[in-house]
Amino acid sequence: MTAKTGGANDFYRLYMVPGMLHCSGGDAPTNVNWQAALESWVEKSEAPGDLVASDGKGATQILGPFN
């Protein structure tokens, strides 16, 4: 696949969110502005790196792309 695509990092990112339930919620900061990250990647060619998740109460956690 790498020979054909140049590597998945050119077009794919996977973020694991510790503490998140199956689709949302949980006991950890899980709110992330995914839309802004995608817009920057598509419209400005700025691939996302670390993202900040928050819980609305001041707690945050850094989410890095899974390698």
Side-chain angles (χ1 to χ4, degrees):
M1 182 170 146
T2 300
K4 290 185 178 186
T5 65
N9 283 337
D10 293 340
F11 61 88
Y12 184 82
R13 297 287 189 278
L14 171 65
Y15 290 87
M16 305 299 278
V17 184
M20 180 182 262
L21 298 177
H22 180 68
C23 291
S24 66
D27 60 355
T30 59
N31 298 322
V32 180
N33 191 346
W34 302 109
Q35 184 72 32
L38 286 171
E39 285 177 4
S40 290
W41 198 359
V42 171
E43 296 174 3
K44 301 175 186 174
S45 297
E46 296 172 357
D50 289 348
L51 301 175
V52 178
S54 64
D55 69 354
K57 301 175 192 171
T60 60
Q61 68 175 331
I62 304 297
L63 306 175
F66 185 78
N67 293 322

